[in-house]
Amino acid sequence: MRATEHSLLEPEIQQSPYAYYRACHAQAPVHFSSPLNAWIVTRYRDVQHVLNHPEIWANDLLVKAGFSMFQHAEARQILESNGWPRDTRLQSDPPIHRDYRSLVASAFTAGRVRSLGPFVESIAAELAEAMSCTAECDFIERFAARLPIAVITRLLGLPAEDAPKIKLWSDAWVEPLSGVIALDREIEVARLGVELQQYLAGWMERKRSEPGEDVLTTLASACFPDGRPLPMAEKMGIAEHLIVGGHETVTSALASGLWLLIEHPEVERALRRDRSLMRNFVEEALRLESPSQGFFRYAERDGEVAGVEIPRAAMVHVRFAAANRDPEQFPDPDVLDLGRKNAGSHMAFSQGEHHCVGAPLARLELTTAFGVLLDRFERFELSPGTAIRHLPGIALRTLAALPIRYS
């Protein structure tokens, strides 16, 4: 394969990108992709370089690059007329990014995450028990999608019974990231976005008079360090960001992790013998099947990556998933190695200023869930005739379904 003759927009590469990543590493670790109209950065050290220099490669695509998640003006108009324009201030650049991040960082401290441990375990156990009533199910529908939405709902301070509709809104929120959404569906997604925003606005107003120990209470009265109140559009953007970030990627990681266990029975046997290996399994699963495959940056000025000059105003795509299979950083990168010393240095949660604030909670959910599943069930396998398929898109890697049998 010649790397420069292919693109991340090809359905075959989105389904299985790893030969393409190997070709990029060997032939063109930094190259311009005409179909994507962006420079692709694939080696670990080069991705790290871009992430560590936000003064050159900006993350705030909304303000600095005029980027919109919606491709069609009709969809943007629906959201702007009836709700608030998408304004994910957690994606802003330093130094102002730190002010926004500080508003939610307290929800993800080590102590706060540990305190959620019993709740996460109880939900995982309930879902596993419900699974045990049958011998076969779609693991995503019955378990992987339900655990993280229950956790993020609790973290935000929303009613547990609202989790299904919050999941519906969250799933719709990420559809434009695929880059292949049709006009009619994007309009429907915008309408669902308005529903989510009106729902969150109502709860933020309620939290003013009925505060709790939750993120929405914090956002309801949030102010900048100088005392200025945070605008509603920015509160909304942060709340939406946390819902999607706290749900979609963990769902994907749970599904791909179980798939890896099924594909590697020797790994499953090792985990059953020695649960101390679970932490490295989770890190390896995140490295090998990164839920967030890569995101864009905007060149605020001329820059250079690995000797390649990138002009001002160019788009740069940092490919986390390719960096996670860089043989210079991870020897035998395609191998699931429970003894890998640097497994936790992967980029599934990005790095630098925009390292995922919810990474500790995601790790807790994953280690807890796989522990519960191995305790409750003796064996997992794919349902007969299952063909593994991933949803189309360049940003996220998500299984369309995972039909399994178990005992």
Side-chain angles (χ1 to χ4, degrees):
M1 173 185 286
R2 290 187 61 83
T4 55
E5 295 176 357
H6 294 273
S7 126
L8 291 168
L9 295 181
E10 296 173 26
E12 296 81 8
I13 287 179
Q14 291 181 9
Q15 181 64 217
S16 182
Y18 303 120
Y20 172 68
Y21 293 163
R22 288 192 292 271
C24 288
H25 292 148
Q27 304 163 18
V30 180
H31 67 276
F32 185 74
S33 170
S34 295
L36 210 58
N37 194 30
W39 294 84
I40 312 297
V41 181
T42 59
R43 284 192 304 205
Y44 187 94
R45 66 172 181 268
D46 298 332
V47 170
Q48 198 171 54
H49 173 74
V50 172
L51 298 179
N52 287 337
H53 289 280
E55 75 281 3
I56 303 175
W57 292 286
N59 191 60
D60 194 348
L61 304 184
L62 181 71
V63 172
K64 297 178 178 177
F67 175 82
S68 172
M69 285 187 65
F70 289 127
Q71 301 173 31
H72 305 98
E74 296 93 327
R76 289 194 295 272
Q77 184 60 38
I78 288 171
L79 196 64
E80 292 170 10
S81 298
N82 302 287
W84 291 267
R86 286 194 170 168
D87 193 2
T88 53
R89 295 287 78 203
L90 289 177
Q91 298 287 17
S92 58
D93 292 305
I96 63 170
H97 167 257
R98 290 159 199 160
D99 291 339
Y100 291 105
R101 188 179 177 99
S102 68
L103 294 173
V104 297
S106 61
F108 299 98
T109 62
R112 189 76 176 271
V113 169
R114 279 196 302 272
S115 72
L116 283 169
F119 175 75
V120 173
E121 186 164 11
S122 69
I123 296 297
E126 287 176 16
L127 293 171
E129 186 61 30
M131 277 177 57
S132 72
C133 296
T134 63
E136 189 168 2
C137 74
D138 175 3
F139 178 71
I140 296 177
E141 193 281 325
R142 292 289 296 276
F143 190 102
R146 297 189 185 195
L147 174 65
I149 202 66
V151 174
I152 198 64
T153 297
R154 183 181 179 92
L155 193 71
L156 287 166
L158 296 168
E161 59 269 23
D162 288 353
K165 65 182 179 183
I166 295 171
K167 179 187 182 303
L168 173 68
W169 290 324
S170 175
D171 289 344
W173 198 98
V174 301
E175 283 189 47
L177 291 174
S178 70
V180 294
I181 188 170
L183 171 59
D184 289 350
R185 179 56 186 166
E186 192 167 84
I187 288 173
E188 179 61 21
V189 164
R191 289 179 178 140
L192 291 169
V194 170
E195 289 181 17
L196 171 60
Q197 291 184 341
Q198 296 295 341
Y199 171 83
L200 291 172
W203 271 100
M204 277 191 260
E205 182 60 31
R206 183 170 174 177
K207 294 291 182 179
R208 289 179 177 276
S209 57
E210 302 175 21
E213 295 292 325
D214 54 67
V215 172
L216 283 187
T217 294
T218 300
L219 289 177
S221 56
C223 294
F224 290 107
D226 63 5
R228 287 179 298 121
L230 198 66
M232 179 54 85
E234 297 183 2
K235 295 179 185 180
M236 196 61 65
I238 292 172
E240 290 177 310
H241 187 107
L242 291 176
I243 288 172
V244 174
H247 166 235
E248 300 293 339
T249 53
V250 178
T251 295
S252 298
L254 284 167
S256 60
L258 187 64
W259 178 41
L260 286 171
L261 277 183
I262 291 170
E263 293 293 298
H264 298 84
E266 75 286 358
V267 171
E268 181 183 343
R269 289 193 294 270
L271 291 176
R272 290 187 185 280
R273 289 193 303 269
D274 184 358
R275 292 300 173 83
S276 70
L277 298 172
M278 183 64 76
R279 179 176 177 179
N280 246 34
F281 167 71
V282 166
E283 303 299 348
E284 280 287 83
L286 288 165
R287 182 185 68 82
L288 288 165
E289 291 289 323
S290 308
S292 297
Q293 293 278 288
F295 291 115
F296 289 95
R297 297 293 190 270
Y298 174 74
E300 290 203 83
R301 60 176 189 253
D302 293 344
E304 181 182 302
V305 182
V308 177
E309 293 187 2
I310 297 177
R312 178 184 174 279
M315 297 300 293
V316 176
H317 185 76
V318 283
R319 198 66 181 173
F320 304 137
N324 285 343
R325 298 217 182 197
D326 182 351
E328 292 185 7
Q329 177 69 15
F330 303 103
D332 296 321
D334 298 328
V335 174
L336 198 170
D337 181 2
L338 292 178
R340 192 179 296 278
K341 301 298 184 184
N342 66 340
S345 67
H346 60 75
M347 292 189 176
F349 297 118
S350 187
Q351 287 186 4
E353 288 279 349
H354 289 282
H355 180 263
C356 176
V357 69
L361 179 57
R363 286 183 164 106
L364 171 70
E365 291 177 71
L366 293 167
T367 54
T368 301
F370 288 121
V372 167
L373 289 166
L374 291 177
D375 283 342
R376 187 65 184 79
F377 301 103
E378 294 180 353
R379 176 181 56 86
F380 298 98
E381 63 183 20
L382 294 179
S383 297
T386 295
I388 292 296
R389 184 176 65 83
H390 289 83
L391 297 176
I394 65 169
L396 305 176
R397 184 161 175 80
T398 304
L399 286 167
L402 187 63
I404 60 169
R405 296 197 307 193
Y406 41 86
S407 60

